[in-house]
Amino acid sequence: MDSKLHVVMFPWLAFGHMIPYLELAKLIARKGHLISFVSTPRNIDRLPKLPPNLEPLITFVKLPLPHVQNLPQNAEATTDVPYDVVPFLKLAYDGLQEPLIRFLESSDPDWILYDFAPYWLPPIASKLGIKTAFYSIFTASCLGFLGPPSVMMGDDEVRKTPESFTVSAPWVPFPTTVAFRYFEFMRVADFISHDSTDVTDMYRFGACIKYADIVAVRSCSEFEPEWLQVVENIYEKPVFPVGQLPTTAYDTGEETDTWWLTKSWLDKQIEGSVVYVAFGSEAKPSQEELTEIAHGLEKSELPFFWVFRNRRGPCDKEVIELPEGFEERTKGRGLVCKSWAPQLKILAHDSVGGFLTHSGWSSVVEAIQYEKSLILLTFLADQGLNARVLEEKNMGYSIPRNERDGSFTSGSVAESIRLVMVKEEGKIYREKIKEFKELFVNKDRQYKYVDIFLDYLITHKVASKE
């Protein structure tokens, strides 16, 4: 049997998805396998550079995104558009079906690893004799909470009200707090309702899992063994943890002006004193929330570095603004960055001690990689479920909020930051992150997960391709 694979990867059009897909692609290519990484031209151009040794093994396949009414020109990722425009991005993504089929027919891959959105892909791949793996960038706890494919696809009466998403599910056989809080669910309730594509996100998710040959999960059995068992039980097919996939950006050695200015400021701060504030490429606070965050940072009296985005894409009409005089009042103690910032380099800096984050899993993994304490403020998608896991394990502390509308005060922001960063009662959060670091970033363990996964892919290739 030929032990070399050709694997196609087809992530959803969000950088929080594309980056973990690229990390797994690099680990697979490292073993000499060929990767075709499929996305749109602008997204591929914005991905991190590959290490030179992997360039011959990873081919970026650029499929132009079809034009869809209500989707702005050049909008190719979730970060380019306001939240309410994302359904039109899914519609355009569905329009990649024909060009993707033509590529698959001409390139004859062994496997395709795909995301939660292309519910139409598994039957196409099956007809073409290509084996399929649903690769989840969501954790096993998130998948376990969402439930069996039949539930996701609407064939079950288990979950019909918002409240039913705020408690553990009947298929989870152990006590857990992993569930949405009411306000978290209401912010993502559209994922169980029809949008402009006439297909719910939950249906997409369920169909992608149901019709896959196997499932790969960004997880490791030492971190959430009970959840991986739940997922295997409810999916009734092989489930492979592929590790936490910490980001490994290739450093070209070139320092941008942004990083030079950032580093020079961080170098002047006391070790472990700075709180880094960033909410990822998708989460955007409301103006009211932003004002409370800003005033909370002010009241905390700790130094901070804030990556501040005032809109999601150029067509976002709801521009949020910092409170009047905020930057002047915090000058010297705080720095607000209004452009892209190199998150890995910032988190790696010794002066950074804590991270006020939206709980996106890539950001969580990067924080653990550099032993930064976590202050949690969720906004969208799986972030609430991630926060519950971190809370259960004492790895992060969530800012107190109103259960119904999610509102919070500047006082609770300041108090939470100080608790996690400096107070004695928050010491557990600082210590737990250090405990879990080895589990998340150990290279040998990461390679072992990928090797087990690859052994399966090689031995279960379609027979006619051997």
Side-chain angles (χ1 to χ4, degrees):
M1 180 188 291
D2 182 7
S3 62
K4 292 304 174 196
L5 295 166
H6 176 200
V7 178
V8 171
M9 300 190 113
F10 188 51
W12 164 236
L13 307 176
F15 284 93
H17 291 241
M18 288 182 269
I19 298 297
Y21 264 71
L22 187 59
E23 288 303 328
L24 183 56
K26 288 192 277 190
L27 289 166
I28 293 172
R30 180 182 157 271
K31 304 293 284 188
H33 304 290
L34 298 177
I35 301 287
S36 293
F37 193 98
V38 181
S39 193
T40 63
R42 193 158 171 257
N43 287 336
I44 285 171
D45 290 344
R46 289 183 283 180
L47 287 171
K49 285 187 170 62
L50 291 174
N53 64 311
L54 297 183
E55 284 179 359
L57 296 161
I58 299 177
T59 302
F60 290 110
V61 180
K62 297 181 177 181
L63 300 183
L65 196 65
H67 175 70
V68 168
Q69 194 173 3
N70 299 317
L71 187 66
Q73 195 174 4
N74 292 326
E76 296 186 8
T78 52
T79 189
D80 299 328
V81 294
Y83 184 70
D84 61 354
V85 178
V86 172
F88 301 106
L89 193 63
K90 291 196 185 89
L91 204 58
Y93 184 78
D94 291 341
L96 292 172
Q97 184 171 331
E98 288 303 321
L100 182 62
I101 290 172
R102 289 195 295 273
F103 169 72
L104 294 174
E105 286 173 335
S106 64
S107 58
D108 194 32
D110 300 298
W111 284 84
I112 182 162
L113 273 59
Y114 60 87
D115 215 326
F116 81 95
Y119 65 99
W120 37 265
L121 181 53
I124 290 168
S126 181
K127 275 185 195 169
L128 295 173
I130 303 165
K131 300 284 266 185
T132 55
F134 170 67
Y135 166 32
S136 169
I137 62 103
F138 305 101
T139 61
S141 48
C142 175
L143 297 179
F145 172 78
L146 292 177
S150 59
V151 171
M152 293 189 186
M153 295 168 78
D155 300 340
D156 200 295
E157 294 298 312
V158 174
R159 287 183 170 142
K160 292 297 178 187
T161 65
E163 287 75 13
S164 63
F165 285 87
T166 65
V167 292
S168 188
W171 51 82
V172 179
F174 48 84
T176 178
T177 60
V178 174
F180 286 110
R181 292 168 70 180
Y182 182 83
F183 71 87
E184 288 169 339
F185 176 75
M186 294 311 292
R187 290 182 179 204
V188 295
D190 55 347
F191 80 83
I192 61 165
S193 60
H194 290 279
D195 57 29
S196 58
T197 65
D198 287 330
V199 183
T200 68
D201 280 3
M202 281 286 266
Y203 182 89
R204 288 175 183 272
F205 221 132
C208 283
I209 294 163
K210 182 176 181 178
Y211 301 112
D213 290 310
I214 63 170
V215 172
V217 188
R218 185 185 191 180
S219 181
C220 53
S221 52
E222 296 91 343
F223 182 67
E224 45 179 3
E226 70 282 29
W227 284 109
L228 282 161
Q229 189 59 59
V230 168
V231 172
E232 190 145 20
N233 292 347
I234 61 179
Y235 290 176
E236 299 179 324
K237 62 184 67 188
V239 173
F240 293 88
V242 291
Q244 296 292 356
L245 303 165
T247 308
T248 55
Y250 174 63
D251 192 348
T252 59
E254 297 172 10
E255 290 201 349
T256 63
D257 289 344
T258 303
W259 172 237
W260 186 85
L261 289 167
T262 301
K263 185 178 182 300
S264 63
W265 184 83
L266 289 170
D267 286 345
K268 294 169 190 164
Q269 311 306 315
I270 298 168
E271 185 175 335
S273 67
V274 176
V275 58
Y276 173 56
V277 185
F279 302 119
S281 59
E282 292 193 55
K284 179 188 145 193
S286 67
Q287 181 60 59
E288 188 180 344
E289 289 170 335
L290 176 79
T291 301
E292 296 301 325
I293 293 166
H295 288 152
L297 287 168
E298 232 176 309
K299 290 176 182 177
S300 76
E301 298 181 344
L302 290 171
F304 63 87
F305 184 91
W306 188 355
V307 180
F308 173 66
R309 296 179 75 228
N310 67 351
R311 63 170 76 188
R312 272 183 56 154
C315 68
D316 188 353
K317 293 181 176 63
E318 291 184 20
V319 179
I320 51 177
E321 295 177 351
L322 292 166
E324 193 173 344
F326 171 77
E327 288 181 89
E328 289 74 26
R329 291 192 301 275
T330 58
K331 196 169 184 179
R333 178 165 71 83
L335 194 61
V336 178
C337 175
K338 294 177 181 175
S339 60
W340 178 84
Q343 180 159 294
L344 271 184
K345 288 184 174 182
I346 294 166
L347 287 170
H349 199 284
D350 288 343
S351 70
V352 175
F355 186 7
L356 174 51
T357 173
H358 58 306
S359 310
W361 203 249
S362 288
S363 287
V364 168
V365 172
E366 289 173 5
I368 295 167
Q369 197 172 348
Y370 295 108
E371 299 182 7
K372 307 307 179 187
S373 309
L374 294 166
I375 307 109
L376 312 175
L377 189 63
T378 64
F379 293 97
L380 287 172
D382 59 328
Q383 295 162 14
L385 302 177
N386 293 341
R388 293 309 89 71
V389 172
L390 296 167
E391 292 160 8
E392 274 192 354
K393 295 178 184 287
N394 289 319
M395 294 170 68
Y397 180 81
S398 289
I399 292 172
R401 301 169 79 163
N402 179 290
E403 209 59 43
R404 299 301 288 181
D405 64 12
S407 59
F408 53 90
T409 66
S410 58
S412 64
V413 172
E415 182 55 33
S416 300
I417 291 171
R418 292 194 63 81
L419 172 77
V420 172
M421 294 281 289
V422 296
K423 290 197 169 181
E424 183 62 28
E425 58 263 45
K427 190 177 179 183
I428 188 167
Y429 303 109
R430 302 191 287 276
E431 290 181 341
K432 282 290 179 184
I433 287 296
K434 291 174 184 173
E435 278 179 37
F436 277 95
K437 176 184 175 176
E438 175 65 10
L439 185 62
F440 273 58
V441 302
N442 181 290
K443 279 189 177 179
D444 291 338
R445 184 181 281 114
Q446 177 63 77
Y447 292 158
K448 183 182 167 191
Y449 277 116
V450 174
D451 287 346
I452 292 168
F453 179 55
L454 284 171
D455 284 346
Y456 186 93
L457 298 191
I458 291 164
T459 55
H460 290 79
K461 287 182 357 177
V462 174
S464 61
K465 296 190 178 185
E466 292 173 6

